[in-house]
Amino acid sequence: MRIDILSLFPEYFQGPFAVSILKRAQEQGLIEINLIDIRRFAEDKHKRVDDRPYGGGPGMLMMPGPCVKAIRSVKSKNSRVVYLTPQGKTLTAGKCEELSEHTHLILLCGHYEGIDQRVIDLEVDEEISIGSYVLTNGCLPAIVLTDAITRFVPGVLGHKEAASKDSFQEEGLLEAPQYTRPEEFEKIAVPEVLLGGHHKKIADWRRKKSEEKTRQVTGQQPLPN
Ligand code: 4GX
């Protein structure tokens, strides 16, 4: 799987992609990440990529020319073009898994007040939001999406933690609390049941805690089995 990330700040991504699982996935050739500077596709001698919105309003928009040229410089028949925007469909684990099945993703990061609608009309396959709030630009959303997708690429995670094969997650439940050593920390003991090694009792306890947590946080009634 190849991921091309188009932005005005390619240097933004150096940190997150150079450590831990994303670093290893690239070293193992499981994913290839390319960072492309949209300014390279500016069409005037001042390398201008933004302009004022028709009809008025605050701030600047990204001009269509450089964005479309940047996309077309990497696009082929197998490409899926995603624009990160608060106006998109909210990202879910299911969408991450679906996107991980593509061989080539192009992630377009918006800056300023967004991009000219004609870029979306001409070149974008889908608009995705990572949540209902507005960040200063689309680079962090592209990092979030890349990270969440990479977990679903075969070989990236070990068998043990294979993405979303967790039965609770599949039922839309939140995880039960977890503990490691020591057995007591600042007067708080690890729940007795987890120390006993009784697998059925542990599974029952986790199920109960998981349902409680899901009810508290989402107000959602757990599905009956
Ligand atoms: N989930 N951003 C897009 C530019 C912008 C500004 C206003 C449209 C309207 C975001 C998010 C997000 C920051 C990406 C602003 N586009 N992207 N950018 N939340 O906040 O995906």
Side-chain angles (χ1 to χ4, degrees), residues 81-136:
V81 182
V82 176
Y83 175 51
L84 286 310
T85 168
Q87 271 73 55
K89 218 172 146 189
T90 306
L91 187 62
T92 61
K95 174 54 74 177
C96 293
E97 185 162 22
E98 182 193 314
L99 289 173
S100 76
E101 285 153 16
H102 287 84
T103 54
H104 184 210
L105 297 177
I106 300 173
L107 309 186
L108 178 60
C109 304
H111 296 262
Y112 315 113
E113 297 306 310
I115 65 177
D116 188 291
Q117 180 62 34
R118 292 165 292 188
V119 179
I120 299 169
D121 296 345
L122 286 168
E123 300 293 344
V124 171
D125 295 310
E126 65 184 305
E127 296 173 85
I128 291 176
S129 167
I130 64 158
S132 287
Y133 43 80
V134 181
L135 298 165
T136 56

Side-chain angles (χ1 to χ4, degrees), residues 28 44 82 88 90 100 120 136 147 160 165-166 172 176 183 204 222:
Q28 294 179 326
D44 72 338
V82 176
T90 306
S100 76
I120 299 169
T136 56
D147 185 296
K160 190 85 187 25
K165 295 313 161 213
D166 183 284
E183 273 189 40
D204 290 348

Side-chain angles (χ1 to χ4, degrees), residues 166 168-169 173-178 206 209-210 213-214:
D166 183 284
F168 289 166
Q169 201 182 315
L173 291 171
L174 303 177
E175 258 194 34
Q178 303 192 90
R206 284 185 172 150
K209 288 293 180 180
S210 182
K213 181 77 180 166
T214 306

Side-chain angles (χ1 to χ4, degrees), residues 7 24 45 50 57 63 68 136 156 175 177 190 194 196 215 225:
S7 76
R24 203 182 58 211
K45 64 172 187 283
D50 65 318
M63 298 159 64
V68 162
T136 56
V156 168
E175 258 194 34
V190 174
L194 298 178
R215 225 176 302 113
N225 298 308

Side-chain angles (χ1 to χ4, degrees), residues 1 3 5 16-17 21-22 25 31 33 84 90-101 105 107 128-130 139-154 156-157 161-165 169:
M1 125 108 49
I3 306 177
I5 303 180
F17 293 165
I21 293 174
L22 290 184
I31 58 164
I33 300 173
L84 286 310
T90 306
L91 187 62
T92 61
K95 174 54 74 177
C96 293
E97 185 162 22
E98 182 193 314
L99 289 173
S100 76
E101 285 153 16
L105 297 177
L107 309 186
I128 291 176
S129 167
I130 64 158
C139 293
L140 283 169
I143 293 168
V144 168
L145 183 58
T146 299
D147 185 296
I149 288 171
T150 299
R151 292 181 71 258
F152 285 100
V153 173
V156 168
L157 298 184
E161 55 223 301
S164 126
K165 295 313 161 213
Q169 201 182 315

